[in-house]
Amino acid sequence: MAQRFDGFVPGRYQLDAFGAGGFRFADMSHRGSILATPSGIRIWPVTSFAEVTLESLQPVLDEAGTIDFLILGIGHDIAFLPAALRDPFKAAGITVEAMATPAAARTYNVLVGEERRVAAALIAVE
């Protein structure tokens, strides 16, 4: 059985499972959203696209030198990412793609498997 995720785990990990309100990775499980960067996976206190802010995504900008792509999983729906969120990443050399969380999780796994410079901000879905 996976141990409970306690806030941050260093390292890059593919996601073993997602859905049921959370994620499994690195032999751990977490109910809620996560933010995965090259330095590790952390709890992301966002539950809906309306709560996504530049501040909530700051850890990605903090690691901009090691990230080329940010995959943003915004729940079950698709929404337009406003320029206020997209432009700071573009200025930092990071391409942002927003999509439904299941597609985002799968895309993140493929890119990590290819050893690409990727981060993911994933809103948990049931």
Side-chain angles (χ1 to χ4, degrees), residues 8-68:
F8 181 79
V9 60
R12 287 185 65 162
Y13 301 95
Q14 287 191 321
L15 304 174
D16 300 320
F18 57 89
F23 300 88
R24 268 200 341 251
F25 51 89
D27 294 324
M28 296 180 206
S29 64
H30 171 64
R31 185 160 176 81
S33 303
I34 59 171
L35 182 62
T37 64
S39 69
I41 298 177
R42 65 190 46 115
I43 290 173
W44 193 42
V46 171
T47 60
S48 70
F49 180 65
E51 296 175 18
V52 176
T53 64
L54 194 54
E55 181 182 20
S56 75
L57 295 169
Q58 187 61 45
V60 177
L61 289 172
D62 291 345
E63 294 184 44
T66 64
I67 298 169
D68 294 327

Side-chain angles (χ1 to χ4, degrees), residues 61 64 67-70 87-96 117:
L61 289 172
I67 298 169
D68 294 327
F69 302 99
L70 169 61
D87 291 350
F89 291 95
K90 184 176 181 180
I94 299 171
T95 300
V96 181
R117 294 164 32 114

